[in-house]
Amino acid sequence: MGMTTYALPAPPATTPARPRLVTRALLLRLVSMLGSSIGFYLPLSVVPLFARDSGSARAAGLATVALLLATVACELVTPRLVAVVGYRWALGLGLVLLGAPTLVLTVTGEPGAILAVCLVRGAGFAICTVAGGALTATLIPAERRCEGLAFVGTVAGGSSLIALPTGVWAADRWGYTPVFLATAVLTLLALLAVPGLPRRIAGNTAHRGLLSGLRRPALTRPATVFAAVTAAVGVLVTFLPLATSAQPAWVAAAALLAQPAAATAASWLTGRVADRRGPARFLTPGLILAAAGMALLALIGTPAAVIGGALVFGTGFGILQNTTLSLMYSRERTGGESTVSAIWNTAYDLGMAAGALAAGLIVASAGYPLTFLLTAAAILPALALSTRER
């Protein structure tokens, strides 16, 4: 009688453990990020008010312009700075330049001093943004990059949502000096976390030139897609309050709160799935949502359409905020994170400025509804780039 044999079942396949996302180094980085976010947003709307009440309406108008111009200019050179001094020194310098100058405004309201403070703070914010963003990318496992960037972005977005209105409220309640003092103290306190951060990244630390990065379509295509929607952000935040001036004040306030809140939530949810499905497939839906949201804003006489449009636009913006940056980091070798951060952040800031400027040139003749529709239409050409990315 033959022996019956049985095949033993194969041992169950083990799923490799996902690398840990939240580490001590990343928590310390979040502390420095909170410091730079508070340092930028807490006095952002307060400084123009301070300049106006100090007797210089012109300085009030130029304060934010000076801040943004300095930010963009220094973002372009920060990768070289990081290559020379490393992350710790660069981030420490950025925090000092961002926070300390506000102390000057506690003793003088001269227009020249206000603009000088804005220029220095813009340089500090650029360094914090580019160097800090590059460092953050090195602290997140590549397998969980989208999720990690979404987590970090939620922390940064939440702090800015709180700091921006808090600064205006505190200035109205207690005056300007406490706001400027709090900005300096909270920003400089973040320096305590800097010594615990890596000096430089492991592996290949060769500096990737910014110009060489700009010659690479693999980096510039996602940045251009993102710039298309940041230009729309510039239009929204600049002209939505003016366009809805005939509506109750809460309509513009609710829309301006809905947009970043939706962006933060969408960035987080996208990050949870984009690591598994690939970030490129989310570019087209993000662009379509952003364009649809801007088109809804053209219905400025309907509060539900205005707030709903801001929500839809914010959702598209949040999707693209996460996926474009994740794509760019995934295409750069170790050592080039600062270049990616500089290109992406420059696309962000220049896009906002260009959108606000272009809309300002046509809004007087076209009106607000048509301006919002034209802004929506201007997003659509980026679909060609997003299709190519897929």
Side-chain angles (χ1 to χ4, degrees), residues 1-387:
M1 184 174 63
M3 181 178 294
T4 303
T5 60
Y6 299 93
L8 294 176
T14 58
T15 302
R18 301 181 74 193
R20 184 180 177 186
L21 179 61
V22 180
T23 60
R24 177 179 178 274
L26 185 60
L27 290 175
L28 289 174
R29 168 64 193 126
L30 291 179
V31 173
S32 66
M33 178 183 296
L34 285 173
S36 62
S37 182
I38 292 172
F40 182 77
Y41 286 103
L42 190 65
L44 182 61
S45 296
V46 174
V47 172
L49 296 174
F50 174 69
R52 182 199 64 189
D53 291 348
S54 298
S56 178
R58 186 176 183 182
L62 292 176
T64 303
V65 174
L67 181 73
L68 292 176
L69 287 177
T71 299
V72 172
C74 289
E75 281 171 349
L76 299 176
V77 299
T78 298
R80 174 62 63 183
L81 174 68
V82 173
V84 173
V85 304
Y87 289 117
R88 284 187 192 173
W89 282 103
L91 195 53
L93 175 63
L95 288 170
V96 170
L97 293 179
L98 180 60
T102 58
L103 295 175
V104 175
L105 302 181
T106 65
V107 295
T108 180
E110 290 295 321
I114 293 173
L115 294 180
V117 165
C118 291
L119 288 170
V120 176
R121 279 173 41 77
F125 184 63
I127 296 172
C128 288
T129 301
V130 174
L135 175 59
T136 301
T138 69
L139 301 176
I140 297 173
E143 303 94 317
R144 303 183 69 179
R145 180 176 285 118
C146 291
E147 183 183 1
L149 291 176
F151 169 66
V152 171
T154 300
V155 174
S159 62
S160 64
L161 277 174
I162 295 172
L164 186 59
T166 297
V168 176
W169 174 83
D172 179 67
R173 185 175 180 86
W174 296 306
Y176 296 113
T177 296
V179 175
F180 297 144
L181 287 173
T183 298
V185 171
L186 294 174
T187 306
L188 296 177
L189 275 177
L191 288 168
L192 297 175
V194 172
L197 296 172
R199 290 187 179 90
R200 297 182 184 273
I201 56 176
N204 182 5
T205 58
H207 171 62
R208 316 278 188 233
L210 181 62
L211 291 179
S212 66
L214 291 172
R215 290 193 292 265
R216 294 179 56 197
L219 299 182
T220 56
R221 279 198 302 266
T224 303
V225 169
F226 188 53
V229 292
T230 63
V233 172
V235 177
L236 186 150
V237 300
T238 304
F239 295 103
L240 184 62
L242 300 174
T244 57
S245 58
Q247 299 292 325
W250 61 265
V251 175
L256 291 176
L257 178 62
Q259 186 269 319
T264 301
S267 178
W268 168 255
L269 292 173
T270 302
R272 299 284 294 176
V273 297
D275 286 318
R276 294 186 293 273
R277 299 186 179 182
R281 69 174 59 234
F282 293 92
L283 296 181
T284 297
L287 286 169
I288 293 173
L289 286 171
M294 285 304 303
L296 273 175
L297 291 178
L299 302 174
I300 58 176
T302 307
V306 172
I307 298 171
L311 277 170
V312 174
F313 174 81
T315 301
F317 178 79
I319 292 172
L320 293 168
Q321 189 175 25
N322 181 291
T323 53
T324 53
L325 186 58
S326 300
L327 269 177
M328 293 170 68
Y329 278 131
S330 69
R331 294 170 176 179
E332 183 57 82
R333 292 173 293 170
T334 300
E337 292 84 1
S338 294
T339 296
V340 169
S341 184
I343 294 173
W344 188 84
N345 281 288
T346 300
Y348 197 149
D349 296 330
L350 282 181
M352 284 190 66
L357 178 61
L361 294 176
I362 66 171
V363 71
S365 58
Y368 295 113
L370 183 56
T371 298
F372 290 141
L373 287 175
L374 290 174
T375 303
I379 295 174
L380 297 179
L383 288 170
L385 294 176
S386 70
T387 303

